[in-house]
Amino acid sequence: MNALAAMTRSWPMLGALGAGLVLTALAAGAGGAPQVVLAGLGVAGLGWAVLSLHAGRIVAPRTVLATSAGALAVVGLLVATGAMADAAGLPLAAASVFVVAVALSAAFEVRRGRAAGAEPRPRRAIDGRMSLLGLAGGAALVAALATPALAATEPGRLAVPHGQHGGPGTIAPLEVHGEPGHSH
């Protein structure tokens, strides 16, 4: 395996982690059927990412390809019907980018398996500096896309600002022995 392949091997799984986090955050701010569907897709993405990272390869690429297509169709339906708030545009777009990246990787695995005339066989996990460098780089890319997407979700907008005391939208400090302030 070449150095580039070793570096990018974990990226689909990291993308699935990003998609799962964004979809579950969207679910937390949604209601009704969209909440159930988004939560299910988010949990499925998180679970698949953990399994695949543990296996060191893309697990069940055909299933992932079909599920990714379904997830993109659901996101399109949510946007087309207006079931999600207008503010959910950035998070839905970010989740879609992650899902497309996972789907492309799964499609590549399926095609590679057909070209070899058999199911893709498990590959051993790669140890070394290149895979660690790739893992760190992939994590940075996912964080760069997922962080603003998470901040744009309803739970992200309602989060208490950190590093500030007082002001609108913050929680009042606890009273200790009858005096306002922090409990230490």
Side-chain angles (χ1 to χ4, degrees):
M1 176 176 293
N2 67 31
L4 181 61
M7 284 183 64
T8 60
R9 185 175 190 173
S10 61
W11 289 14
M13 295 79 149
L14 295 172
L17 286 173
L21 289 172
V22 172
L23 290 170
T24 54
L26 281 168
Q35 182 178 35
V36 173
V37 172
L38 290 170
L41 289 171
V43 169
L46 292 169
W48 177 84
V50 169
L51 289 174
S52 293
L53 280 169
H54 179 71
R57 62 180 176 86
I58 293 177
V59 175
R62 286 184 176 84
T63 303
V64 170
L65 193 55
T67 304
S68 297
L72 291 171
V74 165
V75 168
L77 184 64
L78 290 173
V79 170
T81 62
M84 295 298 295
D86 291 337
L90 173 65
L92 285 173
S96 296
V97 168
F98 288 134
V99 170
V100 167
V102 170
L104 288 173
S105 297
F108 177 75
E109 285 294 315
V110 168
R111 180 155 174 102
R112 193 171 62 92
R114 282 191 189 148
E119 285 291 314
R121 56 181 191 256
R123 294 179 279 173
R124 64 180 177 82
I126 296 175
D127 295 320
R129 286 180 273 190
M130 294 309 285
S131 61
L132 281 176
L133 185 60
L135 187 62
L141 289 171
V142 169
L145 184 57
T147 301
L150 288 168
T153 63
E154 188 68 19
R157 284 190 299 276
L158 295 176
V160 176
H162 296 286
Q164 298 178 359
H165 293 280
T170 60
I171 298 174
L174 299 173
E175 285 189 24
V176 179
H177 305 293
E179 296 180 22
H182 292 285
S183 63
H184 295 279

